[in-house]
Amino acid sequence: MSDWEEDGDDDGSRRVSAKPSPPLRERGPAGAPPPWAEGGGRPRGSRPGPAREPWRSGPLEYRPRGPRRGTGRERPGSPPLSFRLENALVGTLIGRGGTKIKELEESSGCRIQVVKGCYEAEIKIFGDKDKKTKAKVLIDDLMERCSQSSAEERCTKADFFKQEIGTTYYNENRFGVLKSENNNPKQSINWASLRENKAKYEALKWADLPPIEKRFYKESSKIASMSQEEVDKWREENNNITCDDLKDGEKRCIPNPIRKFEDAFQHYPDVMANIKKVGFQKPTPIQSQAWPIILQGFDLIGIAQTGTGKTLAYLMPGFIHLDLQPIPREKRGGPGMLVLTPTRELALQVEAECSKYSYKGIKSICIYGGGDRKGQISLVTKGVDIVIATPGRLNDLQMNNFINLRSITYLVLDEADRMLDMGFEPQIMKILLDVRPDRQTVMTSATWPDGVRRLSKSYLKDPMIVYVGTLDLAAVNTVKQKVVVIPEEEKRAFTRYFIDTMKSKDKVIIFVGKKLTADDLSSDFGLQGIPVQSLHGNREQCDREQALEDFKKGRVRILIATDLASRGLDVQDITHVFNFDFPRNIEEYVHRVGRTGRAGRSGEAVTLVTRNDWKIASELINILERGNQAIPEELTSMAERYKQFQMKKEMEKDLGRPHGKSRKGF
Ligand code: AMP
């Protein structure tokens, strides 16, 4: 058995933590110095042998994904070459999305394993002796280059500040850095001065930018003359639109909704021609209220789901905004519009929507992790007007100076709640540091939790907000929801039964909780001769795109997916949602169910619930009740049992307090 197999998956990490590798010197050939000992070539931060073993407590192991690779002539049980690296350097070794470590593995023919500890990581190299040495040299090289480039970067940053704010100012103020009297080069940062002068630095940073034009709305006389009653009635009849002005102090007048495309775009014949070309009859509710707000130059928050026409709601005003800036597009030195989306699928979908329209030669590009990085860089450097991107990859291109974000005047944060759920806040923050603060910003979200409110406060200026429908049941009112309480071990048989009873026109997404289950189920069904596709975060980008394409075009009628597909996917003819595993929370349930019953069609959702899901039983009952759906007795008794269990637990907690020290004081 190879080292890889011995150490395979979850098992391996436990073994490593139980028995850390002995020091390298003990393991190498007698008396032979480790390769990095020659010529003092030890990388910055790497140390030989485990003097301390901080990784003993709770190791975190990194292993590059992808097919298992044998290492040729390695002997079974041959000890790995191991050394330590500061945790801060592990990112450099692994590289974005594991690209660097994969590259190192491929070049050396070894397998490299990283076991992260509290302060340091243990790096293990598996393979035959020569290859291990080669891998070590490559890693040392990488660390050396990394330490040189960070030193250079520090110098460049100082130069940049000098150029940016002027040498005199730099020398006089040291940009908040004080030199000690004896000219000791050791410096300390004067945070107070930095904070005090923040506004000045901000102004200097953006001083040379051209002005922005944001107002493009000419209200038609018909819309201007609508009475308040007419406006209210119209909003109520159109998915219960509600609006608010989030500006502090005196409120501004919220523009009346438009009822026809001409009401918003009669002065923009190219937009009208595009709308005619695609054959839309009338604006969707979000469009009718969002267009007049955005075209008046206000920032906007749109609380609306995918399928409501929200993409066009921000794209059309964006086209006009891009075209009518005081500086012509070709002279801006970079893109004018940026759309940030949480997933590659959504980014591609927005791109597809964008490219349906041809507006004055505006060019768009999609930038997402997992896609061809070189190709994306080459397109971006050739010049584009609209960048549609996922935060991680864009941040990568930004940090490596492949993209200029200073030219952006129109920013969209699409599905902001999803971006927060996926942990993209730090990347968004870094990206927006380089986007001028007086831009126009539109944010969409399906929900309005605290995190999204916080984001809107940080990145939008005095926005107006438009809610379309309510999240609760608007999405699931048109869907017949069936809940089946079932033992865990019978779920597969039931799913097979469901598939066997599908009609020829039916199309179903089977939602599962884990990527592994998705793989497992799809290979099971594949072996049984049932054509399925699967979609989850561990699949290669091209496979994910293929899966979606097959499902959209109806080449397969069953898609097995994780919650990656619960939002944002615009496939109109899904007849069924089948929840093989219950989702993490009730909100995700609503999103999943909302994948069917779209565009006025009816749909059906089947949800398997096991005894492990008893925590959510009462919330699920609420949703079912409000949608007038049947509630199985087992679900009601499950909710009841959970309630009693909770009460019992509370009582035991209270009684169990030493010497009757109860919170309630008895
Ligand atoms: P979205 O909510 O942006 O994902 O849009 C969902 C679908 O609605 C897309 O396929 C759009 O092309 C389509 N759509 C957008 N606006 C309209 C409209 N006014 N009338 C009919 N369909 C529309």
Side-chain angles (χ1 to χ4, degrees), residues 261 280-284 287 305-312 349 353 356-357 570 572 598:
F261 292 114
F280 294 153
Q281 300 297 311
K282 62 180 178 91
T284 64
Q287 291 165 358
Q305 311 221 8
T306 303
T308 53
K310 68 176 171 63
T311 315
L312 210 59
Q349 206 166 283
E353 187 73 11
K356 273 190 205 164
Y357 312 95
D570 180 31
Q572 301 281 358
R598 290 158 70 81

Side-chain angles (χ1 to χ4, degrees), residues 156-167 170 175:
T156 325
K157 272 195 182 144
D159 289 347
F160 167 81
F161 285 139
K162 282 186 196 175
Q163 280 164 20
E164 281 284 295
I165 64 170
T167 312
Y170 177 86
F175 211 62

